[in-house]
Amino acid sequence: MGPVKLDPSGLQAQRYAAAHELRRCRELAVAAAAGLEEWRARLRTVTYSLYRHLAADDRLRRLVIVEARAIGGDSALLLDRAIASFADLIDEGRAEPSAPPTLTRATAELLAGAMFNELYLLTARRQPLPPERQLVPKFVYLAVLPYLGEEEAAAEVVCGHGGGGYRAG
Amino acid sequence: MKRGAPPANVTRSSAPAEQRRRILRATTELVAKRGYGDVSVELIVKRARVSYKTFYKHFSNKEDCYTALFDRVVGSTEKTVRDLLAEEPREWGEQVALALRKLTELIVANPLTAKAIIVEAPAAGEGILERYEEATKAFVPLFREGREHSSRGAELPVTVEDTLAGSVFWAAYQRLIVGQADTLPEVMPELIQLVLRTYLGEAEAARIAAEAMPRVSSPA
């Protein structure tokens, strides 16, 4: 057996780690949604779960949100798939009886992308994520609004997840 | 033409401005086509047909040059939209639709410039990120005026406009990265509606979006 050749740049390791973490995010989202019949409950639970996961570790968040695209390999593709999967979840809102028939998948893609963009900017500038009550109720509000209307969306802002009774910032 | 020699119609007094314009043009094209990380000062001076001395007379390095480009494009775009909105009084919702339509037109007309700015800025180092964030939030003040037209204005999440403005950027980013800027108008009715429904409700948002930008699939 010859000498082990190490990857001096660490790029391969970074790609592996980013791909691994992105797969974990996907598994986390699937587990969070399991058993929840109602679309809105699934959307809310997945959004909070992913946010908590990403907020818990600054280095991990930077790897999956900022560096995954730059380092290439599978991680860039997995990041795009992760955003697309979240858009899929939002897009399920079109099956709600109150959803306007004119909506297309574009609305869900815009919403998922806008949320990613906000997390990207915070992470790229090495700022800590704000407490979840400042961002997540707002995200869920915006994701629910096109499909369930103002009254239902407003409830997400006032109640938040778990009945915290706070107002989103 | 010899490298560094100005075109025949460039006078002595206009030469520095012409050189700067050529350098920025070359930077735009190179960054859009190769990505910021793969562009060097060497490539810029070759493409712009200027000497290194001329480049460094205008800019201290590649990042300084890109920052100048970023500021020029963002400043010019914001001015174009601002001037358009100032031309005649309109209802707030129509102003939003007009601003988004104008931005779309500018991106479709200049896809290389748009790609060099919207897609590549994050790769240009942490120094540019604050500018990038400011640019993504350029529509925030205009959107925020919508609160005055909403019965729920005071109850809306405080930073909802940041997310809505991010959706505008994302719509462009997603298409520019795959070289499909020309498809951006297809998503604009839903983007206009996404912003306006937050303040004006579904029906009014749909009406303004349809009038501002008829769906591409609609019969002409």
Side-chain angles (χ1 to χ4, degrees), chain A residues 62 69 103-104 106-107 109-110 113-114 117-118 120-121 124-126 138 141-142 150-151 167 169, chain B residues 122 126 129-130 132-133 136 152 155-156 158-160 163 166-167 170-171 173 187 190 194 197 202:
Chain A
R62 190 169 174 81
R69 202 182 293 284
L103 288 174
T104 73
T107 290
E109 287 177 1
L110 290 168
N117 185 64
E118 200 155 349
Y120 178 91
L121 288 171
R125 294 188 62 200
R126 298 181 190 279
K138 174 181 75 168
Y141 166 86
L142 282 168
E150 283 181 63
E151 291 289 336
R167 168 122 4 242
Chain B
E126 296 196 10
L129 278 172
E130 194 174 348
Y132 184 73
E133 185 169 4
T136 65
R152 295 180 183 274
E155 298 165 27
L156 291 172
V158 178
T159 59
V160 75
T163 316
S167 71
W170 181 258
Y173 179 94
V187 79
E190 260 177 280
L194 181 72
R197 79 160 53 85
E202 191 65 40

mmCIF file of all heavy atoms in Angstrom, chain A residues 62 69 103-104 106-107 109-110 113-114 117-118 120-121 124-126 138 141-142 150-151 167 169, chain B residues 122 126 129-130 132-133 136 152 155-156 158-160 163 166-167 170-171 173 187 190 194 197 202:
data_model
loop_
_atom_site.group_PDB
_atom_site.id
_atom_site.type_symbol
_atom_site.label_atom_id
_atom_site.label_comp_id
_atom_site.label_asym_id
_atom_site.label_seq_id
_atom_site.Cartn_x
_atom_site.Cartn_y
_atom_site.Cartn_z
ATOM 1 N N ARG A 62 -22.914 28.396 7.286
ATOM 2 C CA ARG A 62 -22.097 29.019 6.240
ATOM 3 C C ARG A 62 -21.739 27.982 5.164
ATOM 4 O O ARG A 62 -21.752 28.274 3.980
ATOM 5 C CB ARG A 62 -20.828 29.604 6.871
ATOM 6 C CG ARG A 62 -20.068 30.457 5.908
ATOM 7 C CD ARG A 62 -18.959 31.265 6.538
ATOM 8 N NE ARG A 62 -18.210 31.927 5.491
ATOM 9 C CZ ARG A 62 -18.590 33.042 4.910
ATOM 10 N NH1 ARG A 62 -19.666 33.664 5.289
ATOM 11 N NH2 ARG A 62 -17.888 33.566 3.915
ATOM 12 N N ARG A 69 -22.494 26.484 -2.936
ATOM 13 C CA ARG A 69 -22.530 26.806 -4.361
ATOM 14 C C ARG A 69 -21.133 27.042 -4.907
ATOM 15 O O ARG A 69 -20.794 26.625 -6.008
ATOM 16 C CB ARG A 69 -23.413 28.028 -4.624
ATOM 17 C CG ARG A 69 -23.919 28.086 -6.049
ATOM 18 C CD ARG A 69 -24.747 29.324 -6.302
ATOM 19 N NE ARG A 69 -26.005 29.391 -5.594
ATOM 20 C CZ ARG A 69 -27.100 28.708 -5.929
ATOM 21 N NH1 ARG A 69 -27.070 27.877 -6.947
ATOM 22 N NH2 ARG A 69 -28.205 28.830 -5.248
ATOM 23 N N LEU A 103 -52.678 31.119 -9.501
ATOM 24 C CA LEU A 103 -51.310 30.950 -8.999
ATOM 25 C C LEU A 103 -50.612 29.804 -9.718
ATOM 26 O O LEU A 103 -51.222 28.781 -10.025
ATOM 27 C CB LEU A 103 -51.336 30.641 -7.500
ATOM 28 C CG LEU A 103 -51.719 31.787 -6.561
ATOM 29 C CD1 LEU A 103 -51.831 31.271 -5.134
ATOM 30 C CD2 LEU A 103 -50.698 32.908 -6.636
ATOM 31 N N THR A 104 -49.324 29.979 -9.949
ATOM 32 C CA THR A 104 -48.514 28.901 -10.523
ATOM 33 C C THR A 104 -47.392 28.572 -9.540
ATOM 34 O O THR A 104 -47.259 29.213 -8.492
ATOM 35 C CB THR A 104 -47.889 29.296 -11.881
ATOM 36 O OG1 THR A 104 -46.829 30.230 -11.630
ATOM 37 C CG2 THR A 104 -48.915 29.910 -12.811
ATOM 38 N N ALA A 106 -44.519 29.427 -9.811
ATOM 39 C CA ALA A 106 -43.600 30.581 -9.728
ATOM 40 C C ALA A 106 -43.696 31.285 -8.382
ATOM 41 O O ALA A 106 -42.676 31.707 -7.821
ATOM 42 C CB ALA A 106 -43.896 31.560 -10.865
ATOM 43 N N THR A 107 -44.904 31.404 -7.850
ATOM 44 C CA THR A 107 -45.064 32.083 -6.556
ATOM 45 C C THR A 107 -44.287 31.348 -5.469
ATOM 46 O O THR A 107 -43.580 31.968 -4.667
ATOM 47 C CB THR A 107 -46.563 32.183 -6.195
ATOM 48 O OG1 THR A 107 -47.165 33.129 -7.084
ATOM 49 C CG2 THR A 107 -46.773 32.650 -4.767
ATOM 50 N N GLU A 109 -41.718 29.385 -5.857
ATOM 51 C CA GLU A 109 -40.273 29.524 -6.119
ATOM 52 C C GLU A 109 -39.771 30.878 -5.656
ATOM 53 O O GLU A 109 -38.678 31.002 -5.096
ATOM 54 C CB GLU A 109 -39.986 29.329 -7.610
ATOM 55 C CG GLU A 109 -40.105 27.873 -8.041
ATOM 56 C CD GLU A 109 -39.888 27.699 -9.535
ATOM 57 O OE1 GLU A 109 -39.630 28.700 -10.231
ATOM 58 O OE2 GLU A 109 -39.985 26.551 -10.000
ATOM 59 N N LEU A 110 -40.566 31.916 -5.919
ATOM 60 C CA LEU A 110 -40.174 33.265 -5.490
ATOM 61 C C LEU A 110 -40.081 33.339 -3.965
ATOM 62 O O LEU A 110 -39.158 33.942 -3.413
ATOM 63 C CB LEU A 110 -41.185 34.294 -6.000
ATOM 64 C CG LEU A 110 -41.186 34.545 -7.504
ATOM 65 C CD1 LEU A 110 -42.416 35.352 -7.907
ATOM 66 C CD2 LEU A 110 -39.919 35.283 -7.922
ATOM 67 N N GLY A 113 -37.073 31.280 -2.679
ATOM 68 C CA GLY A 113 -35.847 31.998 -3.024
ATOM 69 C C GLY A 113 -35.646 33.236 -2.172
ATOM 70 O O GLY A 113 -34.526 33.552 -1.760
ATOM 71 N N ALA A 114 -36.736 33.944 -1.892
ATOM 72 C CA ALA A 114 -36.638 35.155 -1.076
ATOM 73 C C ALA A 114 -36.177 34.808 0.341
ATOM 74 O O ALA A 114 -35.353 35.511 0.933
ATOM 75 C CB ALA A 114 -37.986 35.859 -1.027
ATOM 76 N N ASN A 117 -32.547 33.905 0.165
ATOM 77 C CA ASN A 117 -31.770 35.128 -0.047
ATOM 78 C C ASN A 117 -31.525 35.860 1.275
ATOM 79 O O ASN A 117 -30.429 36.347 1.545
ATOM 80 C CB ASN A 117 -32.518 36.034 -1.028
ATOM 81 C CG ASN A 117 -31.729 37.273 -1.390
ATOM 82 O OD1 ASN A 117 -30.668 37.177 -1.992
ATOM 83 N ND2 ASN A 117 -32.239 38.430 -1.010
ATOM 84 N N GLU A 118 -32.552 35.900 2.103
ATOM 85 C CA GLU A 118 -32.425 36.601 3.386
ATOM 86 C C GLU A 118 -31.433 35.877 4.311
ATOM 87 O O GLU A 118 -30.596 36.512 4.951
ATOM 88 C CB GLU A 118 -33.801 36.699 4.049
ATOM 89 C CG GLU A 118 -33.858 37.782 5.089
ATOM 90 C CD GLU A 118 -35.277 38.296 5.304
ATOM 91 O OE1 GLU A 118 -36.181 37.975 4.508
ATOM 92 O OE2 GLU A 118 -35.460 39.028 6.286
ATOM 93 N N TYR A 120 -29.080 33.920 3.250
ATOM 94 C CA TYR A 120 -27.779 34.027 2.591
ATOM 95 C C TYR A 120 -27.080 35.326 2.985
ATOM 96 O O TYR A 120 -25.896 35.335 3.338
ATOM 97 C CB TYR A 120 -27.957 33.965 1.066
ATOM 98 C CG TYR A 120 -26.649 34.122 0.332
ATOM 99 C CD1 TYR A 120 -25.879 33.019 -0.010
ATOM 100 C CD2 TYR A 120 -26.144 35.387 0.024
ATOM 101 C CE1 TYR A 120 -24.663 33.156 -0.638
ATOM 102 C CE2 TYR A 120 -24.921 35.545 -0.600
ATOM 103 C CZ TYR A 120 -24.189 34.427 -0.936
ATOM 104 O OH TYR A 120 -22.965 34.576 -1.545
ATOM 105 N N LEU A 121 -27.816 36.437 2.909
ATOM 106 C CA LEU A 121 -27.203 37.738 3.199
ATOM 107 C C LEU A 121 -26.697 37.805 4.637
ATOM 108 O O LEU A 121 -25.596 38.296 4.893
ATOM 109 C CB LEU A 121 -28.201 38.864 2.925
ATOM 110 C CG LEU A 121 -28.487 39.123 1.446
ATOM 111 C CD1 LEU A 121 -29.640 40.105 1.292
ATOM 112 C CD2 LEU A 121 -27.244 39.667 0.735
ATOM 113 N N ALA A 124 -23.620 35.291 4.804
ATOM 114 C CA ALA A 124 -22.441 35.735 4.040
ATOM 115 C C ALA A 124 -21.734 36.883 4.753
ATOM 116 O O ALA A 124 -20.512 36.996 4.703
ATOM 117 C CB ALA A 124 -22.858 36.162 2.642
ATOM 118 N N ARG A 125 -22.501 37.713 5.427
ATOM 119 C CA ARG A 125 -21.899 38.840 6.154
ATOM 120 C C ARG A 125 -21.515 38.453 7.584
ATOM 121 O O ARG A 125 -21.217 39.301 8.397
ATOM 122 C CB ARG A 125 -22.854 40.035 6.145
ATOM 123 C CG ARG A 125 -23.038 40.589 4.721
ATOM 124 C CD ARG A 125 -23.817 41.867 4.737
ATOM 125 N NE ARG A 125 -23.109 42.888 5.488
ATOM 126 C CZ ARG A 125 -23.687 43.974 5.993
ATOM 127 N NH1 ARG A 125 -24.972 44.166 5.835
ATOM 128 N NH2 ARG A 125 -22.976 44.862 6.661
ATOM 129 N N ARG A 126 -21.538 37.156 7.840
ATOM 130 C CA ARG A 126 -21.110 36.598 9.131
ATOM 131 C C ARG A 126 -21.882 37.194 10.304
ATOM 132 O O ARG A 126 -21.330 37.451 11.371
ATOM 133 C CB ARG A 126 -19.605 36.797 9.325
ATOM 134 C CG ARG A 126 -18.796 36.086 8.262
ATOM 135 C CD ARG A 126 -17.309 36.254 8.459
ATOM 136 N NE ARG A 126 -16.559 35.779 7.311
ATOM 137 C CZ ARG A 126 -16.251 34.513 7.072
ATOM 138 N NH1 ARG A 126 -16.616 33.588 7.912
ATOM 139 N NH2 ARG A 126 -15.580 34.162 5.993
ATOM 140 N N LYS A 138 -42.612 35.477 10.088
ATOM 141 C CA LYS A 138 -42.724 36.269 8.855
ATOM 142 C C LYS A 138 -42.659 35.366 7.624
ATOM 143 O O LYS A 138 -43.445 35.521 6.682
ATOM 144 C CB LYS A 138 -41.596 37.305 8.804
ATOM 145 C CG LYS A 138 -41.543 38.077 7.496
ATOM 146 C CD LYS A 138 -40.412 39.077 7.457
ATOM 147 C CE LYS A 138 -39.057 38.435 7.248
ATOM 148 N NZ LYS A 138 -38.002 39.414 6.936
ATOM 149 N N TYR A 141 -45.868 33.457 7.424
ATOM 150 C CA TYR A 141 -46.918 34.411 7.023
ATOM 151 C C TYR A 141 -46.911 34.587 5.504
ATOM 152 O O TYR A 141 -47.950 34.464 4.835
ATOM 153 C CB TYR A 141 -46.662 35.760 7.724
ATOM 154 C CG TYR A 141 -47.442 36.916 7.163
ATOM 155 C CD1 TYR A 141 -48.731 37.184 7.609
ATOM 156 C CD2 TYR A 141 -46.896 37.733 6.170
ATOM 157 C CE1 TYR A 141 -49.454 38.244 7.084
ATOM 158 C CE2 TYR A 141 -47.611 38.785 5.639
ATOM 159 C CZ TYR A 141 -48.886 39.044 6.098
ATOM 160 O OH TYR A 141 -49.604 40.079 5.568
ATOM 161 N N LEU A 142 -45.729 34.889 4.960
ATOM 162 C CA LEU A 142 -45.637 35.148 3.514
ATOM 163 C C LEU A 142 -45.955 33.905 2.688
ATOM 164 O O LEU A 142 -46.538 34.008 1.610
ATOM 165 C CB LEU A 142 -44.235 35.662 3.167
ATOM 166 C CG LEU A 142 -43.988 37.123 3.511
ATOM 167 C CD1 LEU A 142 -42.500 37.470 3.413
ATOM 168 C CD2 LEU A 142 -44.795 38.051 2.593
ATOM 169 N N GLU A 150 -55.469 36.592 3.963
ATOM 170 C CA GLU A 150 -54.919 37.484 4.991
ATOM 171 C C GLU A 150 -55.178 37.017 6.417
ATOM 172 O O GLU A 150 -54.292 37.065 7.268
ATOM 173 C CB GLU A 150 -55.523 38.876 4.829
ATOM 174 C CG GLU A 150 -54.934 39.668 3.685
ATOM 175 C CD GLU A 150 -55.554 41.044 3.602
ATOM 176 O OE1 GLU A 150 -55.392 41.813 4.565
ATOM 177 O OE2 GLU A 150 -56.210 41.341 2.598
ATOM 178 N N GLU A 151 -56.420 36.597 6.690
ATOM 179 C CA GLU A 151 -56.773 36.232 8.069
ATOM 180 C C GLU A 151 -55.896 35.094 8.578
ATOM 181 O O GLU A 151 -55.339 35.156 9.681
ATOM 182 C CB GLU A 151 -58.247 35.787 8.137
ATOM 183 C CG GLU A 151 -59.247 36.895 7.914
ATOM 184 C CD GLU A 151 -59.305 37.874 9.089
ATOM 185 O OE1 GLU A 151 -58.946 37.455 10.206
ATOM 186 O OE2 GLU A 151 -59.675 39.026 8.863
ATOM 187 N N ARG A 167 -44.942 38.853 18.368
ATOM 188 C CA ARG A 167 -45.102 39.492 17.070
ATOM 189 C C ARG A 167 -43.786 39.360 16.313
ATOM 190 O O ARG A 167 -42.729 39.589 16.881
ATOM 191 C CB ARG A 167 -45.452 40.967 17.269
ATOM 192 C CG ARG A 167 -45.356 41.777 16.050
ATOM 193 C CD ARG A 167 -46.595 42.512 15.581
ATOM 194 N NE ARG A 167 -47.754 42.450 16.406
ATOM 195 C CZ ARG A 167 -48.904 41.908 15.994
ATOM 196 N NH1 ARG A 167 -48.984 41.339 14.817
ATOM 197 N NH2 ARG A 167 -49.957 41.929 16.752
ATOM 198 N N GLY A 169 -40.643 40.121 13.935
ATOM 199 C CA GLY A 169 -39.887 41.353 13.746
ATOM 200 C C GLY A 169 -39.399 41.544 12.353
ATOM 201 O O GLY A 169 -39.521 40.738 11.495
ATOM 202 N N PRO B 122 -21.690 38.349 -4.957
ATOM 203 C CA PRO B 122 -21.331 37.621 -3.737
ATOM 204 C C PRO B 122 -19.956 36.964 -3.805
ATOM 205 O O PRO B 122 -19.349 36.706 -2.769
ATOM 206 C CB PRO B 122 -22.436 36.557 -3.624
ATOM 207 C CG PRO B 122 -23.573 37.116 -4.379
ATOM 208 C CD PRO B 122 -22.966 37.881 -5.515
ATOM 209 N N GLU B 126 -15.921 39.910 0.672
ATOM 210 C CA GLU B 126 -16.829 40.395 1.710
ATOM 211 C C GLU B 126 -16.976 41.904 1.673
ATOM 212 O O GLU B 126 -17.930 42.457 2.209
ATOM 213 C CB GLU B 126 -16.359 39.890 3.072
ATOM 214 C CG GLU B 126 -16.429 38.371 3.129
ATOM 215 C CD GLU B 126 -16.355 37.798 4.525
ATOM 216 O OE1 GLU B 126 -16.437 38.548 5.487
ATOM 217 O OE2 GLU B 126 -16.207 36.561 4.611
ATOM 218 N N LEU B 129 -20.192 42.883 -0.034
ATOM 219 C CA LEU B 129 -21.454 42.305 0.454
ATOM 220 C C LEU B 129 -22.424 43.335 1.037
ATOM 221 O O LEU B 129 -23.635 43.215 0.868
ATOM 222 C CB LEU B 129 -21.177 41.213 1.483
ATOM 223 C CG LEU B 129 -20.829 39.844 0.882
ATOM 224 C CD1 LEU B 129 -20.373 38.892 1.971
ATOM 225 C CD2 LEU B 129 -22.033 39.260 0.144
ATOM 226 N N GLU B 130 -21.862 44.342 1.703
ATOM 227 C CA GLU B 130 -22.752 45.357 2.275
ATOM 228 C C GLU B 130 -23.467 46.111 1.155
ATOM 229 O O GLU B 130 -24.671 46.376 1.235
ATOM 230 C CB GLU B 130 -21.940 46.331 3.128
ATOM 231 C CG GLU B 130 -22.814 47.180 4.016
ATOM 232 C CD GLU B 130 -21.999 48.052 4.963
ATOM 233 O OE1 GLU B 130 -20.779 47.832 5.090
ATOM 234 O OE2 GLU B 130 -22.585 48.959 5.551
ATOM 235 N N TYR B 132 -24.042 44.906 -1.804
ATOM 236 C CA TYR B 132 -24.949 43.937 -2.418
ATOM 237 C C TYR B 132 -26.262 43.879 -1.634
ATOM 238 O O TYR B 132 -27.349 43.897 -2.199
ATOM 239 C CB TYR B 132 -24.259 42.565 -2.433
ATOM 240 C CG TYR B 132 -25.020 41.464 -3.130
ATOM 241 C CD1 TYR B 132 -25.122 41.442 -4.513
ATOM 242 C CD2 TYR B 132 -25.597 40.422 -2.416
ATOM 243 C CE1 TYR B 132 -25.796 40.420 -5.161
ATOM 244 C CE2 TYR B 132 -26.269 39.396 -3.053
ATOM 245 C CZ TYR B 132 -26.360 39.406 -4.429
ATOM 246 O OH TYR B 132 -27.030 38.389 -5.061
ATOM 247 N N GLU B 133 -26.132 43.834 -0.310
ATOM 248 C CA GLU B 133 -27.330 43.774 0.528
ATOM 249 C C GLU B 133 -28.166 45.044 0.358
ATOM 250 O O GLU B 133 -29.389 44.984 0.243
ATOM 251 C CB GLU B 133 -26.947 43.583 1.998
ATOM 252 C CG GLU B 133 -28.158 43.395 2.887
ATOM 253 C CD GLU B 133 -27.815 42.950 4.295
ATOM 254 O OE1 GLU B 133 -26.624 42.853 4.627
ATOM 255 O OE2 GLU B 133 -28.755 42.693 5.062
ATOM 256 N N THR B 136 -30.014 44.816 -2.874
ATOM 257 C CA THR B 136 -31.168 43.901 -2.845
ATOM 258 C C THR B 136 -32.353 44.535 -2.118
ATOM 259 O O THR B 136 -33.491 44.127 -2.320
ATOM 260 C CB THR B 136 -30.845 42.558 -2.149
ATOM 261 O OG1 THR B 136 -30.554 42.796 -0.775
ATOM 262 C CG2 THR B 136 -29.706 41.830 -2.804
ATOM 263 N N ARG B 152 -54.148 46.437 7.412
ATOM 264 C CA ARG B 152 -53.321 45.694 8.369
ATOM 265 C C ARG B 152 -51.894 46.218 8.405
ATOM 266 O O ARG B 152 -50.992 45.526 8.896
ATOM 267 C CB ARG B 152 -53.277 44.215 7.979
ATOM 268 C CG ARG B 152 -54.593 43.509 8.070
ATOM 269 C CD ARG B 152 -54.414 42.045 7.668
ATOM 270 N NE ARG B 152 -55.664 41.333 7.682
ATOM 271 C CZ ARG B 152 -56.182 40.770 8.766
ATOM 272 N NH1 ARG B 152 -55.570 40.835 9.905
ATOM 273 N NH2 ARG B 152 -57.343 40.131 8.687
ATOM 274 N N GLU B 155 -49.881 45.890 11.466
ATOM 275 C CA GLU B 155 -49.744 44.531 12.012
ATOM 276 C C GLU B 155 -48.758 43.668 11.225
ATOM 277 O O GLU B 155 -48.409 42.570 11.657
ATOM 278 C CB GLU B 155 -51.108 43.829 12.001
ATOM 279 C CG GLU B 155 -52.156 44.506 12.860
ATOM 280 C CD GLU B 155 -53.553 44.001 12.537
ATOM 281 O OE1 GLU B 155 -53.681 42.853 12.080
ATOM 282 O OE2 GLU B 155 -54.502 44.775 12.723
ATOM 283 N N LEU B 156 -48.356 44.162 10.064
ATOM 284 C CA LEU B 156 -47.469 43.339 9.230
ATOM 285 C C LEU B 156 -46.118 43.150 9.920
ATOM 286 O O LEU B 156 -45.660 44.029 10.651
ATOM 287 C CB LEU B 156 -47.246 44.021 7.874
ATOM 288 C CG LEU B 156 -48.457 44.077 6.950
ATOM 289 C CD1 LEU B 156 -48.154 44.948 5.733
ATOM 290 C CD2 LEU B 156 -48.849 42.680 6.516
ATOM 291 N N VAL B 158 -42.390 43.402 10.787
ATOM 292 C CA VAL B 158 -41.605 44.632 10.618
ATOM 293 C C VAL B 158 -40.715 44.591 9.376
ATOM 294 O O VAL B 158 -40.560 45.589 8.680
ATOM 295 C CB VAL B 158 -40.741 44.873 11.886
ATOM 296 C CG1 VAL B 158 -39.879 46.110 11.721
ATOM 297 C CG2 VAL B 158 -41.639 45.019 13.104
ATOM 298 N N THR B 159 -40.129 43.429 9.100
ATOM 299 C CA THR B 159 -39.186 43.357 7.977
ATOM 300 C C THR B 159 -39.766 42.610 6.772
ATOM 301 O O THR B 159 -39.018 42.065 5.966
ATOM 302 C CB THR B 159 -37.872 42.664 8.416
ATOM 303 O OG1 THR B 159 -38.197 41.344 8.895
ATOM 304 C CG2 THR B 159 -37.169 43.437 9.501
ATOM 305 N N VAL B 160 -41.071 42.619 6.627
ATOM 306 C CA VAL B 160 -41.671 41.863 5.513
ATOM 307 C C VAL B 160 -41.178 42.401 4.168
ATOM 308 O O VAL B 160 -41.020 41.649 3.198
ATOM 309 C CB VAL B 160 -43.221 41.890 5.621
ATOM 310 C CG1 VAL B 160 -43.807 43.220 5.214
ATOM 311 C CG2 VAL B 160 -43.836 40.768 4.806
ATOM 312 N N THR B 163 -37.980 40.715 2.777
ATOM 313 C CA THR B 163 -38.197 39.420 2.117
ATOM 314 C C THR B 163 -38.815 39.623 0.741
ATOM 315 O O THR B 163 -38.418 38.963 -0.231
ATOM 316 C CB THR B 163 -39.097 38.515 2.979
ATOM 317 O OG1 THR B 163 -38.668 38.586 4.341
ATOM 318 C CG2 THR B 163 -39.031 37.072 2.510
ATOM 319 N N GLY B 166 -36.279 40.696 -1.569
ATOM 320 C CA GLY B 166 -35.419 39.553 -1.893
ATOM 321 C C GLY B 166 -36.007 38.685 -2.990
ATOM 322 O O GLY B 166 -35.283 38.108 -3.796
ATOM 323 N N SER B 167 -37.343 38.624 -3.049
ATOM 324 C CA SER B 167 -37.980 37.815 -4.099
ATOM 325 C C SER B 167 -37.723 38.418 -5.484
ATOM 326 O O SER B 167 -37.617 37.695 -6.475
ATOM 327 C CB SER B 167 -39.483 37.665 -3.840
ATOM 328 O OG SER B 167 -40.148 38.883 -4.053
ATOM 329 N N TRP B 170 -34.200 37.399 -6.323
ATOM 330 C CA TRP B 170 -34.141 35.955 -6.581
ATOM 331 C C TRP B 170 -34.672 35.621 -7.970
ATOM 332 O O TRP B 170 -34.110 34.778 -8.679
ATOM 333 C CB TRP B 170 -34.915 35.187 -5.519
ATOM 334 C CG TRP B 170 -34.861 33.704 -5.734
ATOM 335 C CD1 TRP B 170 -35.838 32.924 -6.274
ATOM 336 C CD2 TRP B 170 -33.758 32.843 -5.455
ATOM 337 N NE1 TRP B 170 -35.417 31.618 -6.332
ATOM 338 C CE2 TRP B 170 -34.143 31.542 -5.837
ATOM 339 C CE3 TRP B 170 -32.494 33.032 -4.913
ATOM 340 C CZ2 TRP B 170 -33.301 30.449 -5.705
ATOM 341 C CZ3 TRP B 170 -31.649 31.937 -4.777
ATOM 342 C CH2 TRP B 170 -32.053 30.666 -5.173
ATOM 343 N N ALA B 171 -35.767 36.275 -8.336
ATOM 344 C CA ALA B 171 -36.354 36.021 -9.665
ATOM 345 C C ALA B 171 -35.315 36.274 -10.754
ATOM 346 O O ALA B 171 -35.187 35.493 -11.707
ATOM 347 C CB ALA B 171 -37.578 36.907 -9.880
ATOM 348 N N TYR B 173 -31.910 36.479 -10.289
ATOM 349 C CA TYR B 173 -30.749 35.600 -10.063
ATOM 350 C C TYR B 173 -30.960 34.230 -10.700
ATOM 351 O O TYR B 173 -30.112 33.720 -11.425
ATOM 352 C CB TYR B 173 -30.516 35.466 -8.557
ATOM 353 C CG TYR B 173 -29.367 34.561 -8.186
ATOM 354 C CD1 TYR B 173 -28.106 35.092 -7.961
ATOM 355 C CD2 TYR B 173 -29.537 33.180 -8.061
ATOM 356 C CE1 TYR B 173 -27.041 34.266 -7.619
ATOM 357 C CE2 TYR B 173 -28.482 32.356 -7.733
ATOM 358 C CZ TYR B 173 -27.235 32.895 -7.505
ATOM 359 O OH TYR B 173 -26.196 32.070 -7.180
ATOM 360 N N VAL B 187 -42.424 35.738 -15.288
ATOM 361 C CA VAL B 187 -42.717 35.601 -13.861
ATOM 362 C C VAL B 187 -43.166 36.933 -13.232
ATOM 363 O O VAL B 187 -43.645 36.964 -12.102
ATOM 364 C CB VAL B 187 -41.479 35.022 -13.124
ATOM 365 C CG1 VAL B 187 -40.432 36.077 -12.875
ATOM 366 C CG2 VAL B 187 -41.870 34.388 -11.807
ATOM 367 N N GLU B 190 -46.702 37.400 -11.494
ATOM 368 C CA GLU B 190 -46.813 36.767 -10.164
ATOM 369 C C GLU B 190 -45.934 37.463 -9.131
ATOM 370 O O GLU B 190 -46.267 37.510 -7.949
ATOM 371 C CB GLU B 190 -46.494 35.270 -10.249
ATOM 372 C CG GLU B 190 -47.797 34.484 -10.271
ATOM 373 C CD GLU B 190 -47.641 32.997 -10.417
ATOM 374 O OE1 GLU B 190 -47.440 32.546 -11.564
ATOM 375 O OE2 GLU B 190 -47.738 32.285 -9.420
ATOM 376 N N LEU B 194 -47.290 39.065 -5.830
ATOM 377 C CA LEU B 194 -46.726 38.628 -4.552
ATOM 378 C C LEU B 194 -46.468 39.827 -3.638
ATOM 379 O O LEU B 194 -46.748 39.793 -2.446
ATOM 380 C CB LEU B 194 -45.408 37.873 -4.805
ATOM 381 C CG LEU B 194 -44.686 37.308 -3.586
ATOM 382 C CD1 LEU B 194 -45.435 36.122 -3.016
ATOM 383 C CD2 LEU B 194 -43.268 36.904 -3.936
ATOM 384 N N ARG B 197 -50.189 41.848 -2.958
ATOM 385 C CA ARG B 197 -51.249 41.209 -2.150
ATOM 386 C C ARG B 197 -51.013 41.420 -0.657
ATOM 387 O O ARG B 197 -51.953 41.440 0.111
ATOM 388 C CB ARG B 197 -51.396 39.725 -2.487
ATOM 389 C CG ARG B 197 -50.386 38.812 -1.869
ATOM 390 C CD ARG B 197 -50.854 37.352 -1.840
ATOM 391 N NE ARG B 197 -51.281 36.860 -3.137
ATOM 392 C CZ ARG B 197 -50.458 36.352 -4.053
ATOM 393 N NH1 ARG B 197 -49.170 36.296 -3.822
ATOM 394 N NH2 ARG B 197 -50.922 35.910 -5.194
ATOM 395 N N GLU B 202 -55.858 40.221 -2.477
ATOM 396 C CA GLU B 202 -55.683 39.390 -3.669
ATOM 397 C C GLU B 202 -56.265 40.031 -4.939
ATOM 398 O O GLU B 202 -55.607 40.095 -5.970
ATOM 399 C CB GLU B 202 -56.354 38.030 -3.419
ATOM 400 C CG GLU B 202 -56.028 36.983 -4.448
ATOM 401 C CD GLU B 202 -54.552 36.610 -4.444
ATOM 402 O OE1 GLU B 202 -53.950 36.493 -3.370
ATOM 403 O OE2 GLU B 202 -54.008 36.457 -5.544
#
